[in-house]
Amino acid sequence: MKKPTNDQTSYHHGDLRAALVCEGMRQLGEEGVGDLSLRGVARAVGVSATAVYRHFPDKDALLSAIAEEGFRMLGQAQRVAFSAAREAGARAFQASGAAYVRFALANPALFRLMFARPTAASRQSDAAAFLRENSAASAPPGVDRGLFALQAWSVVHGLAMLMLDGLAPADDTLIEGVLSATLGPNC
């Protein structure tokens, strides 16, 4: 990708929208939502501020796109963990739950943003779809699948928030223990 020289104010970018989301995500992780600006993102990507407005009319639109990308990444992390468990049922279900908590811990600002602005896109995201599919396949006989999905999500989301807020230690052994106790083979 060509970087602009000092005398260039803008240049052609292969996928500017994706580059802006990526840079916005990076800045979000370093500076937080309050310090993220469209001008700052444009400057870091090497385009004029007006180029950003072709893709995002305001900061809120960029934040929504960042949150949507976060949900895509979360869904992917859960699917990878589920597949890596190489077991059907409870162990793979726990692995995907642990991936949820670990994603939150690795991306605290992004995770908080994702859930601070729930949208129709987030409810239809890969992460939400995976939770529904995984819960339906893992729910014990006789247990309502929708309630089971809500219970599982409540456990992993609650654990992630407790750890992010410093109310529980961010410890892998604790993650595994909580999920085994609540989402184990007898869930």
Side-chain angles (χ1 to χ4, degrees), residues 101-102 159 162-163 167-181:
V101 177
R102 290 183 187 115
L159 181 59
L162 289 170
M163 289 180 167
L167 299 171
D171 176 69
D172 246 16
T173 305
L174 182 59
I175 294 169
E176 295 296 331
V178 168
L179 297 184
S180 180

Side-chain angles (χ1 to χ4, degrees), residues 9-11 16 20 37-58 62:
T9 57
S10 66
Y11 65 102
L16 181 55
L20 294 168
S37 73
L38 291 178
R39 287 188 181 279
V41 170
R43 188 173 30 258
V45 171
V47 297
S48 68
T50 56
V52 175
Y53 291 103
R54 292 185 194 119
H55 298 279
F56 303 106
D58 54 27
L62 175 61

Side-chain angles (χ1 to χ4, degrees), residues 136-154:
S138 301
V143 173
D144 179 274
R145 291 175 178 178
L147 289 176
F148 183 72
L150 185 58
Q151 175 195 5
W153 185 27
S154 298

Side-chain angles (χ1 to χ4, degrees), residues 3 12 21 39 71 96-97 125 140:
K3 291 277 185 186
H12 177 70
V21 169
R39 287 188 181 279
F71 279 109
S96 67
S125 71

